Amino acid sequence: RLVVSRRPPRRPLKAALVAGAALAVCGTLLGLPGDGWGPDGAAAPPYARNPAAQAALDPGKLTRVSPTAWRTSARTDFSVWPARGDRTGDRALLRRALAVWARPGKDVQVSATPGTPSGGPAGPPRLLYAGTVDTARVVVLYDGLRVARYAEPKDGTRGAALDLARVDGAGRTGAGAVVLSRADGNVRYLTAPWVRGAGERDLRRPGSAARDLALTGGVTPPLAGPAGRPGPCASWNVLELTDGTGTRLVTDLGELVPAHLTAGRPGRTHEVSGAGALRTWAPYACSLGAMRSAGVRSVNAWAFAGQPLPGGSGEAAWVCTRAETWRGGGSRVLAQFHTPGGRFGVVAAKAEDVPACGEREPRVLAGVLWKSGTGDWYLLAAGSHDTASIRATGGVEGSAGGHLLALRAEAGARADLEAGLEDGRSIGGLR
């Protein structure tokens, strides 16, 4: 007798469910960073798929140039850097770096200099470096506008870091080096292929020679970084780079691309390589700390006046330091006053987004209250050399012809300054 069951058998379905659950668990375990990175590492899930986005994530489409391309190229910038490092063939690492740049996940620490777009590349970027640096695997990429640095722990633990810096318009100087790593207060740089030699110099000690740094595949050994060091500023170490066109100094301001240091009158600046320029910078080196994390491209120090101090106390120096940024806006200007024998310059005035002390307006006026050795107070002011007269109003009243002013004052007095220029115009003092 044939009996037809009204119930379908349940055992095969149960087995299928168990198998599916096991597959899901297995897939989850394979994706855990502790047991090996997934294809996209610490990247977030993909939000959209289109040919351009997919091409930007393909390590096989990364642009690479010949190690000698910079010798014949009309441009000398990041576009002619060759791919360097011991992991340039690690497609899995490159894939993770590209994916995290496009879609940084919750375990990624992302930083970008002010004015830098944080989105992924529009197309395949250029590979500048992929290698092991200290305790991390590092990839450096360039998309024509930005340099991106991806770093992940080399032991495979969870987490990654992505740093972005705007570098549009960088030439030989601006593309001289990028920061590869920071660890224990030290910094490693990757230098441009045209750099012949590197050194470490303390900007606070202009009479000391630079310490030579051996380059290994363009990478410097660790050198003490100046940015963010606790305690009083006793030194300020900078990186000295030498190529076929000369020697220049760059400094770490806590960002991916170091800032270029110069000296001299705006419009006629020069490298900080001679003894005079090094002496100019020495008392003001520590003021560079005020320019950290601002997307600074270059900082110039201009000794715009020397002023005899009342009572025969020697001559003080007036220096204006101006920081220019990669984005154009956000410039920072400090007028600083340095007395004979003083360890540091004193910030007398500061301003942001003003043309003073720059190539567009190579003029400046600043003042300070100064106490003499006899206890007398003075308002001292100085302008650039095309200043015809200076007048003080408010808490201190008086004027003087020329570019220097010294008036008796009371402690805590405040005054407004105005300078008449030789061309008939007038300017106000920095505050």
Side-chain angles (χ1 to χ4, degrees), residues 398-410:
S399 61
H403 70 286
L404 300 174
L405 173 71
L407 299 173
R408 290 291 296 266
E410 299 293 332

Side-chain angles (χ1 to χ4, degrees), residues 46-390:
Y47 306 115
R49 295 184 182 275
N50 59 68
Q54 292 303 104
L57 295 178
D58 185 353
K61 288 184 167 57
L62 282 171
T63 304
R64 306 174 189 233
V65 301
S66 162
T68 59
W70 65 271
R71 298 182 183 274
T72 55
S73 173
R75 300 171 60 181
T76 312
D77 57 15
F78 289 111
S79 68
V80 293
W81 277 36
R84 288 171 288 178
D86 61 356
R87 304 188 78 96
T88 56
D90 188 338
R91 290 177 62 89
L93 171 64
L94 300 178
R95 166 77 187 194
R96 293 194 295 273
L98 291 167
V100 167
W101 187 0
R103 310 182 313 274
K106 61 182 178 63
D107 292 325
V108 181
Q109 296 180 355
V110 181
S111 71
T113 59
T116 303
S118 58
R126 191 176 306 275
L127 177 62
L128 306 186
Y129 182 85
T132 304
V133 184
D134 299 323
T135 60
R137 291 187 288 260
V138 177
V139 178
V140 181
L141 303 162
Y142 170 66
D143 71 349
L145 172 67
R146 301 162 295 173
V147 168
R149 179 186 61 188
Y150 167 83
E152 65 181 35
K154 70 179 183 181
D155 61 4
T157 54
R158 183 182 296 274
L162 177 68
D163 301 302
L164 299 165
R166 185 172 171 174
V167 292
D168 47 320
R172 175 183 286 264
T173 299
V178 297
V179 172
L180 273 187
S181 72
R182 291 188 183 89
D184 301 324
N186 296 320
V187 185
R188 283 187 190 267
Y189 295 90
L190 175 66
T191 61
W194 51 83
V195 170
R196 297 179 178 176
E200 179 182 23
R201 178 181 288 281
D202 185 355
L203 202 57
R204 291 278 296 134
R205 294 172 173 77
S208 300
R211 179 176 69 89
D212 290 339
L213 299 173
L215 297 176
T216 305
V219 179
T220 69
L223 60 153
R229 299 177 67 181
C233 178
S235 63
W236 191 276
N237 294 321
V238 296
L239 177 65
E240 184 177 87
L241 300 174
T242 301
D243 60 22
T245 64
T247 298
R248 53 189 57 87
L249 297 184
V250 297
T251 185
D252 175 30
L253 294 181
E255 298 178 336
L256 186 53
V257 181
H260 177 215
L261 300 181
T262 59
R265 181 182 175 86
R268 299 199 297 268
T269 61
H270 52 83
E271 300 297 340
V272 186
S273 54
L278 290 169
R279 285 195 299 270
T280 295
W281 258 109
Y284 314 102
C286 293
S287 68
L288 287 165
M291 301 171 184
R292 295 186 63 224
S293 304
V296 173
R297 177 177 188 159
S298 62
V299 188
N300 182 61
W302 173 32
F304 67 89
Q307 184 167 30
L309 295 172
S313 302
E315 182 173 287
W318 285 94
V319 166
C320 178
T321 54
R322 181 182 176 92
E324 302 285 3
T325 69
W326 287 98
R327 64 190 182 278
S331 59
R332 299 187 179 188
V333 179
L334 301 178
Q336 303 190 62
F337 180 74
H338 181 235
T339 56
R343 292 188 61 201
F344 305 102
V346 175
V347 176
K350 57 185 177 182
E352 292 188 21
D353 282 319
V354 298
C357 194
E359 190 168 354
R360 289 181 55 193
E361 183 57 83
R363 297 169 182 85
V364 64
L365 171 67
V368 68
L369 277 177
W370 175 77
K371 185 179 182 180
S372 71
T374 59
D376 297 319
W377 286 91
Y378 293 85
L379 169 65
L380 305 179
S384 43
H385 286 283
D386 54 354
T387 301
S389 63
I390 301 177

